[in-house]
Amino acid sequence: MDDAGFMRRAIELSAACARTDEGPFGAVVVRDGKIIGEGVNRVVPTGDPTAHAEIVAIRAACQAVGSHVLDGAVMYTSCEPCPMCLGAIWWARMSEIVYANDRADAAAIGFDDDAIYREVAAPLDSRKLPMRRLSASEALEVFRLWHAKPDRVPY
């Protein structure tokens, strides 16, 4: 299968999902020319706001390869990833994102992520969702403990 074939699969998944009570999103993770994970939007049926197609596909791919690292993998997704999914793709160390619909297309049907993009870019003290720091020194001790662990697994 080539790029177009992998994208077709992501769009097929999104179309099947759109016929249900789930959002119209599908994604596949590909490594070495093979699909290693697929996902559709599962937010409503699972009651999990993180169950976007890309996250579901990443979870499946990680389980398939037995690792939290998906280096060399490509995310094919029916829509430009939201900020949460983009972060997950970065954390998984994937090498590329290929998408069909963009964020403006998603906003036009009610999936508008612009507020989140603006919130993430804003300084902490001017964000709409208040953030405050508490017990930093206690929490920092745990970080020091973990960092000193000789057998820690790096992310």
Side-chain angles (χ1 to χ4, degrees), residues 7-110:
M7 183 56 75
R8 245 187 325 276
R9 179 61 184 152
I11 294 169
E12 286 170 3
L13 290 166
S14 73
C17 196
R19 292 184 194 95
T20 70
D21 62 349
E22 302 167 28
F25 303 99
V28 296
V29 176
V30 175
R31 185 155 66 180
D32 299 326
K34 295 182 184 87
I35 294 174
I36 59 171
E38 294 187 339
V40 296
N41 189 293
R42 304 280 301 143
V43 171
V44 172
T46 62
D48 178 355
T50 69
H52 291 196
E54 296 90 343
I55 301 293
V56 173
I58 288 169
R59 290 174 181 160
C62 287
Q63 186 171 22
V65 302
S67 175
H68 63 283
V69 177
L70 297 173
D71 54 340
V74 177
M75 172 65 74
Y76 291 84
T77 179
S78 63
C79 188
E80 180 181 355
C82 74
M84 175 187 68
C85 293
L86 180 59
I89 293 164
W90 271 95
W91 276 109
R93 308 294 191 257
M94 298 177 79
S95 62
E96 186 180 12
I97 300 168
V98 181
Y99 65 94
N101 295 314
D102 67 16
R103 68 175 87 167
D105 299 322
I109 63 164

